[in-house]
Amino acid sequence: MAYLHPPCPSPTSHPTSRPAFKPSITVTTSSRHLPSTQKPTANSNNWVSDFRSKSLNLVLSGALTLGLSLSGAGIAEAKVGVNKPELLPKEFSPVIDVAGFLSDGQEKRLAEEIADIEKYTGYKLRVLAQNYPDTPGLAIKDFWRVDDRTIVFVADPTFGNILNFNVGASVDLDVPRSFWSRLAGKYGNMFYWKEKGEDGAIESAVMAISSCLKEPVDANNCSEVK
């Protein structure tokens, strides 16, 4: 399982963790996979898996980007870990806004779009809006039952670029890593969210992710950020 992928210049992370439970939705999916010539080698898989597992707790505890950079920029400086389950909602929601960026209507629309993504593709998108250190942090992992088919999208302006992504290993096989960098570059930069608002950046990113995940997997999928 992979996690939090931010763009450059924002730092990123990409850990792995496989929970003991199964996803809550059973979806029959098509053969969404890379050709054998594009699959990572066993040695590279082992290295990345080990790296991800070591980075996961730091990524989720601060809900920040730490670890394997999509752009190859390397390791980001870690913030002190946070674990505040009291900030979680009483009932399950795919959207958690502890920063107050979203209106109730926006949260509802995003939740509906996320449900449509999961029904159509089997992938689980989860959105956390926060201002570090006011974050549930590591508590979101169990609350959302994060697994290999989960994308954790953390909207946090701490590093300037508001879009940070934690991408499950199964998603990573189907979505080019460059997509997340381009997405953050387009909708996450400070100029965009200062003009459109944090809520505008979040909504634009969710719709772009939805369009990407619903595209057939081929050499050109997710080549554009819509």
Side-chain angles (χ1 to χ4, degrees), residues 98-101 129-135 155-158 198:
V98 296
F101 294 152
Q130 65 170 39
N131 265 311
Y132 180 86
D134 295 323
T135 169
D156 187 329
T158 300
E198 295 91 347

Side-chain angles (χ1 to χ4, degrees), residues 102-187:
L102 303 167
S103 68
D104 291 343
Q106 288 173 316
E107 285 193 40
K108 182 178 180 181
R109 288 197 299 274
L110 291 177
E112 290 172 350
E113 184 64 33
I114 289 169
D116 187 60
I117 292 171
E118 191 166 351
K119 180 180 178 181
Y120 189 87
T121 69
Y123 292 131
K124 301 187 296 184
L125 176 62
R126 302 293 181 255
V127 178
L128 170 64
Q130 65 170 39
N131 265 311
Y132 180 86
D134 295 323
T135 169
L138 188 60
I140 63 174
K141 178 184 175 184
D142 292 333
F143 181 79
W144 278 334
R145 296 187 176 183
V146 174
D147 61 16
D148 285 355
R149 300 186 69 80
T150 306
I151 303 162
V152 178
F153 166 18
V154 179
D156 187 329
T158 300
F159 288 130
N161 194 303
I162 198 172
L163 305 188
N164 305 276
F165 303 101
N166 186 306
V167 180
S170 295
V171 185
D172 199 34
L173 292 176
D174 291 341
V175 179
R177 293 187 175 189
S178 59
F179 170 77
W180 307 106
S181 295
R182 287 184 281 107
L183 176 60
K186 182 173 183 178
Y187 295 128

Side-chain angles (χ1 to χ4, degrees), residues 17-168:
S17 173
R18 182 178 294 275
F21 57 85
K22 295 181 179 179
S24 56
I25 291 185
T26 301
V27 180
T28 302
T29 57
S30 59
S31 55
R32 299 172 65 86
H33 58 80
L34 290 175
S36 57
T37 56
Q38 298 181 25
K39 292 181 179 178
T41 64
N43 287 339
S44 64
N45 272 334
N46 291 339
W47 183 89
V48 172
S49 295
D50 180 64
F51 185 92
R52 290 170 180 167
S53 64
K54 291 177 181 177
S55 304
L56 176 58
N57 285 349
L58 285 173
V59 170
L60 292 181
S61 63
L64 298 169
T65 57
L66 172 73
L68 185 62
S69 170
L70 290 175
S71 62
I75 305 296
E77 179 183 358
K79 293 285 186 179
V80 176
V82 176
N83 186 32
K84 297 180 180 178
E86 65 273 15
L87 294 180
L88 294 170
K90 299 300 181 183
E91 298 181 0
F92 175 84
S93 173
V95 181
I96 300 175
D97 180 15
V98 296
F101 294 152
L102 303 167
S103 68
D104 291 343
Q106 288 173 316
E107 285 193 40
K108 182 178 180 181
R109 288 197 299 274
L110 291 177
E112 290 172 350
E113 184 64 33
I114 289 169
D116 187 60
I117 292 171
E118 191 166 351
K119 180 180 178 181
Y120 189 87
T121 69
Y123 292 131
K124 301 187 296 184
L125 176 62
R126 302 293 181 255
V127 178
L128 170 64
Q130 65 170 39
N131 265 311
Y132 180 86
D134 295 323
T135 169
L138 188 60
I140 63 174
K141 178 184 175 184
D142 292 333
F143 181 79
W144 278 334
R145 296 187 176 183
V146 174
D147 61 16
D148 285 355
R149 300 186 69 80
T150 306
I151 303 162
V152 178
F153 166 18
V154 179
D156 187 329
T158 300
F159 288 130
N161 194 303
I162 198 172
L163 305 188
N164 305 276
F165 303 101
N166 186 306
V167 180

